[in-house]
mmCIF file of all heavy atoms in Angstrom:
data_model
loop_
_atom_site.group_PDB
_atom_site.id
_atom_site.type_symbol
_atom_site.label_atom_id
_atom_site.label_comp_id
_atom_site.label_asym_id
_atom_site.label_seq_id
_atom_site.Cartn_x
_atom_site.Cartn_y
_atom_site.Cartn_z
ATOM 1 N N ALA A 1477 0.818 -1.225 0.000
ATOM 2 C CA ALA A 1477 0.000 0.000 0.000
ATOM 3 C C ALA A 1477 0.844 1.264 0.000
ATOM 4 O O ALA A 1477 0.580 2.194 -0.768
ATOM 5 C CB ALA A 1477 -0.958 -0.011 1.188
ATOM 6 N N GLU A 1478 1.871 1.308 0.827
ATOM 7 C CA GLU A 1478 2.679 2.536 0.903
ATOM 8 C C GLU A 1478 3.482 2.784 -0.371
ATOM 9 O O GLU A 1478 3.809 3.918 -0.695
ATOM 10 C CB GLU A 1478 3.597 2.510 2.124
ATOM 11 C CG GLU A 1478 4.638 1.402 2.098
ATOM 12 C CD GLU A 1478 5.351 1.242 3.434
ATOM 13 O OE1 GLU A 1478 4.674 1.006 4.445
ATOM 14 O OE2 GLU A 1478 6.589 1.359 3.434
ATOM 15 N N HIS A 1479 3.779 1.744 -1.121
ATOM 16 C CA HIS A 1479 4.549 1.900 -2.362
ATOM 17 C C HIS A 1479 3.651 2.191 -3.565
ATOM 18 O O HIS A 1479 4.116 2.702 -4.573
ATOM 19 C CB HIS A 1479 5.396 0.663 -2.620
ATOM 20 C CG HIS A 1479 6.425 0.437 -1.572
ATOM 21 N ND1 HIS A 1479 7.590 1.165 -1.509
ATOM 22 C CD2 HIS A 1479 6.454 -0.392 -0.511
ATOM 23 C CE1 HIS A 1479 8.302 0.780 -0.473
ATOM 24 N NE2 HIS A 1479 7.627 -0.168 0.157
ATOM 25 N N LEU A 1480 2.374 1.842 -3.435
ATOM 26 C CA LEU A 1480 1.445 2.040 -4.551
ATOM 27 C C LEU A 1480 0.583 3.285 -4.383
ATOM 28 O O LEU A 1480 -0.055 3.715 -5.339
ATOM 29 C CB LEU A 1480 0.548 0.805 -4.697
ATOM 30 C CG LEU A 1480 1.269 -0.508 -4.988
ATOM 31 C CD1 LEU A 1480 0.278 -1.655 -5.064
ATOM 32 C CD2 LEU A 1480 2.100 -0.421 -6.249
ATOM 33 N N GLU A 1481 0.607 3.868 -3.215
ATOM 34 C CA GLU A 1481 -0.230 5.037 -2.944
ATOM 35 C C GLU A 1481 0.065 6.163 -3.930
ATOM 36 O O GLU A 1481 1.217 6.510 -4.180
ATOM 37 C CB GLU A 1481 0.009 5.529 -1.520
ATOM 38 C CG GLU A 1481 -0.968 6.590 -1.088
ATOM 39 C CD GLU A 1481 -0.808 6.962 0.373
ATOM 40 O OE1 GLU A 1481 -0.382 6.100 1.179
ATOM 41 O OE2 GLU A 1481 -1.093 8.118 0.691
ATOM 42 N N GLY A 1482 -0.998 6.688 -4.501
ATOM 43 C CA GLY A 1482 -0.868 7.804 -5.434
ATOM 44 C C GLY A 1482 -0.459 7.407 -6.840
ATOM 45 O O GLY A 1482 -0.279 8.263 -7.698
ATOM 46 N N LYS A 1483 -0.308 6.121 -7.101
ATOM 47 C CA LYS A 1483 0.082 5.652 -8.438
ATOM 48 C C LYS A 1483 -1.133 5.016 -9.110
ATOM 49 O O LYS A 1483 -1.759 4.130 -8.556
ATOM 50 C CB LYS A 1483 1.218 4.646 -8.332
ATOM 51 C CG LYS A 1483 2.487 5.248 -7.749
ATOM 52 C CD LYS A 1483 3.530 4.164 -7.500
ATOM 53 C CE LYS A 1483 4.826 4.730 -6.999
ATOM 54 N NZ LYS A 1483 4.798 5.233 -5.650
ATOM 55 N N SER A 1484 -1.429 5.446 -10.316
ATOM 56 C CA SER A 1484 -2.579 4.876 -11.009
ATOM 57 C C SER A 1484 -2.211 3.622 -11.806
ATOM 58 O O SER A 1484 -3.076 2.820 -12.134
ATOM 59 C CB SER A 1484 -3.227 5.910 -11.926
ATOM 60 O OG SER A 1484 -2.325 6.318 -12.938
ATOM 61 N N LEU A 1485 -0.922 3.454 -12.108
ATOM 62 C CA LEU A 1485 -0.450 2.255 -12.805
ATOM 63 C C LEU A 1485 1.020 2.057 -12.466
ATOM 64 O O LEU A 1485 1.820 2.977 -12.614
ATOM 65 C CB LEU A 1485 -0.630 2.405 -14.317
ATOM 66 C CG LEU A 1485 -0.387 1.165 -15.170
ATOM 67 C CD1 LEU A 1485 -1.328 0.031 -14.780
ATOM 68 C CD2 LEU A 1485 -0.569 1.495 -16.638
ATOM 69 N N PHE A 1486 1.372 0.864 -12.001
ATOM 70 C CA PHE A 1486 2.725 0.597 -11.504
ATOM 71 C C PHE A 1486 3.200 -0.749 -12.030
ATOM 72 O O PHE A 1486 2.486 -1.750 -11.947
ATOM 73 C CB PHE A 1486 2.691 0.571 -9.967
ATOM 74 C CG PHE A 1486 4.016 0.314 -9.319
ATOM 75 C CD1 PHE A 1486 4.938 1.340 -9.154
ATOM 76 C CD2 PHE A 1486 4.336 -0.949 -8.854
ATOM 77 C CE1 PHE A 1486 6.158 1.108 -8.537
ATOM 78 C CE2 PHE A 1486 5.555 -1.193 -8.231
ATOM 79 C CZ PHE A 1486 6.465 -0.159 -8.073
ATOM 80 N N MET A 1487 4.411 -0.753 -12.583
ATOM 81 C CA MET A 1487 5.042 -1.961 -13.118
ATOM 82 C C MET A 1487 6.517 -1.895 -12.766
ATOM 83 O O MET A 1487 6.979 -0.903 -12.221
ATOM 84 C CB MET A 1487 4.864 -2.027 -14.635
ATOM 85 C CG MET A 1487 3.433 -2.044 -15.062
ATOM 86 S SD MET A 1487 3.305 -1.760 -16.830
ATOM 87 C CE MET A 1487 1.537 -1.708 -16.986
ATOM 88 N N GLY A 1488 7.242 -2.929 -13.115
ATOM 89 C CA GLY A 1488 8.660 -2.934 -12.800
ATOM 90 C C GLY A 1488 9.535 -3.261 -13.992
ATOM 91 O O GLY A 1488 9.112 -3.899 -14.950
ATOM 92 N N CYS A 1489 10.760 -2.815 -13.906
ATOM 93 C CA CYS A 1489 11.780 -3.059 -14.919
ATOM 94 C C CYS A 1489 12.555 -4.308 -14.513
ATOM 95 O O CYS A 1489 13.058 -4.395 -13.402
ATOM 96 C CB CYS A 1489 12.693 -1.846 -14.981
ATOM 97 S SG CYS A 1489 14.062 -2.052 -16.104
ATOM 98 N N GLN A 1490 12.665 -5.264 -15.406
ATOM 99 C CA GLN A 1490 13.337 -6.510 -15.049
ATOM 100 C C GLN A 1490 14.835 -6.523 -15.330
ATOM 101 O O GLN A 1490 15.507 -7.455 -14.954
ATOM 102 C CB GLN A 1490 12.662 -7.697 -15.719
ATOM 103 C CG GLN A 1490 12.991 -7.884 -17.177
ATOM 104 C CD GLN A 1490 12.360 -9.136 -17.733
ATOM 105 O OE1 GLN A 1490 11.291 -9.537 -17.335
ATOM 106 N NE2 GLN A 1490 13.031 -9.771 -18.657
ATOM 107 N N HIS A 1491 15.342 -5.500 -15.975
ATOM 108 C CA HIS A 1491 16.771 -5.434 -16.261
ATOM 109 C C HIS A 1491 17.328 -4.110 -15.780
ATOM 110 O O HIS A 1491 16.689 -3.079 -15.945
ATOM 111 C CB HIS A 1491 17.052 -5.545 -17.767
ATOM 112 C CG HIS A 1491 16.595 -6.828 -18.358
ATOM 113 N ND1 HIS A 1491 17.249 -8.009 -18.146
ATOM 114 C CD2 HIS A 1491 15.536 -7.126 -19.126
ATOM 115 C CE1 HIS A 1491 16.614 -8.973 -18.779
ATOM 116 N NE2 HIS A 1491 15.569 -8.461 -19.384
ATOM 117 N N ALA A 1492 18.498 -4.155 -15.213
ATOM 118 C CA ALA A 1492 19.159 -2.905 -14.851
ATOM 119 C C ALA A 1492 19.489 -2.165 -16.142
ATOM 120 O O ALA A 1492 20.096 -2.722 -17.045
ATOM 121 C CB ALA A 1492 20.424 -3.191 -14.053
ATOM 122 N N VAL A 1493 19.046 -0.945 -16.223
ATOM 123 C CA VAL A 1493 19.285 -0.139 -17.418
ATOM 124 C C VAL A 1493 19.800 1.222 -17.010
ATOM 125 O O VAL A 1493 19.610 1.656 -15.879
ATOM 126 C CB VAL A 1493 18.007 0.016 -18.276
ATOM 127 C CG1 VAL A 1493 17.616 -1.304 -18.893
ATOM 128 C CG2 VAL A 1493 16.864 0.570 -17.456
ATOM 129 N N ARG A 1494 20.434 1.898 -17.924
ATOM 130 C CA ARG A 1494 21.017 3.196 -17.604
ATOM 131 C C ARG A 1494 19.972 4.289 -17.452
ATOM 132 O O ARG A 1494 20.015 5.067 -16.532
ATOM 133 C CB ARG A 1494 22.005 3.592 -18.695
ATOM 134 C CG ARG A 1494 23.228 2.736 -18.661
ATOM 135 C CD ARG A 1494 24.264 3.259 -19.624
ATOM 136 N NE ARG A 1494 25.301 2.239 -19.734
ATOM 137 C CZ ARG A 1494 25.956 1.987 -20.819
ATOM 138 N NH1 ARG A 1494 25.749 2.690 -21.899
ATOM 139 N NH2 ARG A 1494 26.867 1.047 -20.842
ATOM 140 N N GLN A 1495 19.036 4.367 -18.388
ATOM 141 C CA GLN A 1495 18.108 5.483 -18.353
ATOM 142 C C GLN A 1495 16.649 5.069 -18.328
ATOM 143 O O GLN A 1495 15.845 5.699 -17.687
ATOM 144 C CB GLN A 1495 18.348 6.398 -19.553
ATOM 145 C CG GLN A 1495 19.722 7.011 -19.519
ATOM 146 C CD GLN A 1495 19.926 7.950 -20.693
ATOM 147 O OE1 GLN A 1495 19.019 8.246 -21.440
ATOM 148 N NE2 GLN A 1495 21.139 8.423 -20.851
ATOM 149 N N SER A 1496 16.287 4.029 -19.019
ATOM 150 C CA SER A 1496 14.876 3.698 -19.162
ATOM 151 C C SER A 1496 14.676 2.205 -19.335
ATOM 152 O O SER A 1496 15.480 1.534 -19.978
ATOM 153 C CB SER A 1496 14.315 4.426 -20.383
ATOM 154 O OG SER A 1496 13.062 3.914 -20.735
ATOM 155 N N ALA A 1497 13.569 1.720 -18.787
ATOM 156 C CA ALA A 1497 13.209 0.320 -18.984
ATOM 157 C C ALA A 1497 12.965 0.029 -20.455
ATOM 158 O O ALA A 1497 12.995 -1.118 -20.880
ATOM 159 C CB ALA A 1497 11.948 -0.003 -18.190
ATOM 160 N N LEU A 1498 12.728 1.049 -21.228
ATOM 161 C CA LEU A 1498 12.391 0.863 -22.628
ATOM 162 C C LEU A 1498 13.601 0.746 -23.536
ATOM 163 O O LEU A 1498 13.466 0.662 -24.744
ATOM 164 C CB LEU A 1498 11.483 2.002 -23.072
ATOM 165 C CG LEU A 1498 10.205 2.109 -22.241
ATOM 166 C CD1 LEU A 1498 9.385 3.295 -22.696
ATOM 167 C CD2 LEU A 1498 9.405 0.837 -22.297
ATOM 168 N N GLU A 1499 14.792 0.723 -22.971
ATOM 169 C CA GLU A 1499 15.998 0.541 -23.775
ATOM 170 C C GLU A 1499 16.127 -0.901 -24.258
ATOM 171 O O GLU A 1499 16.886 -1.188 -25.152
ATOM 172 C CB GLU A 1499 17.243 0.919 -22.970
ATOM 173 C CG GLU A 1499 17.374 2.405 -22.741
ATOM 174 C CD GLU A 1499 18.612 2.762 -21.946
ATOM 175 O OE1 GLU A 1499 19.443 1.879 -21.668
ATOM 176 O OE2 GLU A 1499 18.742 3.937 -21.596
ATOM 177 N N ARG A 1500 15.390 -1.793 -23.633
ATOM 178 C CA ARG A 1500 15.419 -3.208 -24.012
ATOM 179 C C ARG A 1500 14.042 -3.610 -24.510
ATOM 180 O O ARG A 1500 13.037 -3.058 -24.099
ATOM 181 C CB ARG A 1500 15.785 -4.072 -22.817
ATOM 182 C CG ARG A 1500 17.197 -3.899 -22.323
ATOM 183 C CD ARG A 1500 17.452 -4.847 -21.179
ATOM 184 N NE ARG A 1500 17.242 -6.215 -21.594
ATOM 185 C CZ ARG A 1500 18.211 -7.109 -21.750
ATOM 186 N NH1 ARG A 1500 19.451 -6.783 -21.519
ATOM 187 N NH2 ARG A 1500 17.937 -8.336 -22.128
ATOM 188 N N GLU A 1501 14.011 -4.621 -25.342
ATOM 189 C CA GLU A 1501 12.731 -5.097 -25.857
ATOM 190 C C GLU A 1501 11.865 -5.647 -24.728
ATOM 191 O O GLU A 1501 10.651 -5.564 -24.766
ATOM 192 C CB GLU A 1501 12.990 -6.188 -26.903
ATOM 193 C CG GLU A 1501 11.743 -6.685 -27.562
ATOM 194 C CD GLU A 1501 12.018 -7.672 -28.671
ATOM 195 O OE1 GLU A 1501 13.182 -7.840 -29.071
ATOM 196 O OE2 GLU A 1501 11.056 -8.279 -29.136
ATOM 197 N N ASP A 1502 12.498 -6.214 -23.716
ATOM 198 C CA ASP A 1502 11.757 -6.840 -22.622
ATOM 199 C C ASP A 1502 12.011 -6.145 -21.295
ATOM 200 O O ASP A 1502 12.076 -6.752 -20.252
ATOM 201 C CB ASP A 1502 12.105 -8.311 -22.515
ATOM 202 C CG ASP A 1502 13.596 -8.557 -22.282
ATOM 203 O OD1 ASP A 1502 14.386 -7.594 -22.354
ATOM 204 O OD2 ASP A 1502 13.974 -9.695 -22.023
ATOM 205 N N GLY A 1503 12.146 -4.838 -21.317
ATOM 206 C CA GLY A 1503 12.465 -4.101 -20.109
ATOM 207 C C GLY A 1503 11.373 -4.079 -19.064
ATOM 208 O O GLY A 1503 11.632 -4.169 -17.877
ATOM 209 N N VAL A 1504 10.116 -3.947 -19.480
ATOM 210 C CA VAL A 1504 9.013 -3.892 -18.532
ATOM 211 C C VAL A 1504 8.441 -5.294 -18.391
ATOM 212 O O VAL A 1504 7.978 -5.885 -19.362
ATOM 213 C CB VAL A 1504 7.914 -2.908 -18.999
ATOM 214 C CG1 VAL A 1504 6.816 -2.803 -17.951
ATOM 215 C CG2 VAL A 1504 8.508 -1.539 -19.290
ATOM 216 N N CYS A 1505 8.489 -5.826 -17.194
ATOM 217 C CA CYS A 1505 8.079 -7.212 -16.977
ATOM 218 C C CYS A 1505 6.620 -7.290 -16.534
ATOM 219 O O CYS A 1505 6.145 -6.469 -15.754
ATOM 220 C CB CYS A 1505 8.981 -7.851 -15.925
ATOM 221 S SG CYS A 1505 8.743 -9.637 -15.809
ATOM 222 N N ASN A 1506 5.921 -8.291 -17.012
ATOM 223 C CA ASN A 1506 4.512 -8.489 -16.702
ATOM 224 C C ASN A 1506 4.274 -9.355 -15.467
ATOM 225 O O ASN A 1506 3.129 -9.648 -15.128
ATOM 226 C CB ASN A 1506 3.805 -9.128 -17.902
ATOM 227 C CG ASN A 1506 4.395 -10.483 -18.230
ATOM 228 O OD1 ASN A 1506 5.592 -10.591 -18.488
ATOM 229 N ND2 ASN A 1506 3.583 -11.513 -18.219
ATOM 230 N N ALA A 1507 5.306 -9.726 -14.736
ATOM 231 C CA ALA A 1507 5.143 -10.606 -13.582
ATOM 232 C C ALA A 1507 4.540 -9.897 -12.375
ATOM 233 O O ALA A 1507 4.049 -10.547 -11.452
ATOM 234 C CB ALA A 1507 6.486 -11.233 -13.203
ATOM 235 N N PHE A 1508 4.559 -8.567 -12.365
ATOM 236 C CA PHE A 1508 3.943 -7.775 -11.305
ATOM 237 C C PHE A 1508 3.395 -6.500 -11.925
ATOM 238 O O PHE A 1508 4.141 -5.748 -12.554
ATOM 239 C CB PHE A 1508 4.962 -7.418 -10.219
ATOM 240 C CG PHE A 1508 4.366 -6.673 -9.053
ATOM 241 C CD1 PHE A 1508 4.051 -7.342 -7.884
ATOM 242 C CD2 PHE A 1508 4.115 -5.320 -9.128
ATOM 243 C CE1 PHE A 1508 3.494 -6.672 -6.812
ATOM 244 C CE2 PHE A 1508 3.559 -4.630 -8.067
ATOM 245 C CZ PHE A 1508 3.241 -5.313 -6.902
ATOM 246 N N MET A 1509 2.091 -6.279 -11.760
ATOM 247 C CA MET A 1509 1.452 -5.075 -12.281
ATOM 248 C C MET A 1509 0.374 -4.649 -11.291
ATOM 249 O O MET A 1509 -0.299 -5.501 -10.710
ATOM 250 C CB MET A 1509 0.794 -5.348 -13.635
ATOM 251 C CG MET A 1509 1.746 -5.862 -14.705
ATOM 252 S SD MET A 1509 0.911 -6.275 -16.258
ATOM 253 C CE MET A 1509 0.134 -7.838 -15.842
ATOM 254 N N ALA A 1510 0.216 -3.357 -11.110
ATOM 255 C CA ALA A 1510 -0.831 -2.837 -10.233
ATOM 256 C C ALA A 1510 -1.442 -1.614 -10.883
ATOM 257 O O ALA A 1510 -0.730 -0.822 -11.515
ATOM 258 C CB ALA A 1510 -0.256 -2.472 -8.871
ATOM 259 N N GLY A 1511 -2.748 -1.471 -10.748
ATOM 260 C CA GLY A 1511 -3.363 -0.317 -11.358
ATOM 261 C C GLY A 1511 -4.770 -0.034 -10.873
ATOM 262 O O GLY A 1511 -5.429 -0.890 -10.278
ATOM 263 N N ALA A 1512 -5.201 1.175 -11.158
ATOM 264 C CA ALA A 1512 -6.549 1.611 -10.834
ATOM 265 C C ALA A 1512 -7.521 1.058 -11.880
ATOM 266 O O ALA A 1512 -7.148 0.873 -13.039
ATOM 267 C CB ALA A 1512 -6.599 3.138 -10.827
ATOM 268 N N PRO A 1513 -8.756 0.804 -11.489
ATOM 269 C CA PRO A 1513 -9.743 0.320 -12.459
ATOM 270 C C PRO A 1513 -9.983 1.346 -13.571
ATOM 271 O O PRO A 1513 -9.942 2.551 -13.336
ATOM 272 C CB PRO A 1513 -11.012 0.120 -11.621
ATOM 273 C CG PRO A 1513 -10.812 0.892 -10.376
ATOM 274 C CD PRO A 1513 -9.330 1.014 -10.164
ATOM 275 N N GLY A 1514 -10.163 0.829 -14.785
ATOM 276 C CA GLY A 1514 -10.461 1.693 -15.911
ATOM 277 C C GLY A 1514 -9.305 2.546 -16.403
ATOM 278 O O GLY A 1514 -9.511 3.481 -17.168
#
């Protein structure tokens, strides 16, 4: 709860990257996702 508070959509980066999870094709992992309805 304390880590998700105020976030409408939260995911994690599965690889250490320099600037962005999007530097890799598989940077954003689907194994953990949290979000507000709609």
Side-chain angles (χ1 to χ4, degrees):
E1478 64 191 58
H1479 296 283
L1480 299 178
E1481 189 174 331
K1483 297 173 177 71
S1484 63
L1485 189 60
F1486 180 81
M1487 301 168 184
C1489 176
Q1490 78 176 33
H1491 299 286
V1493 292
R1494 290 187 191 145
Q1495 297 182 8
S1496 167
L1498 302 177
E1499 288 180 6
R1500 292 182 59 110
E1501 184 175 350
D1502 59 352
V1504 184
C1505 190
N1506 61 302
F1508 184 100
M1509 302 176 284

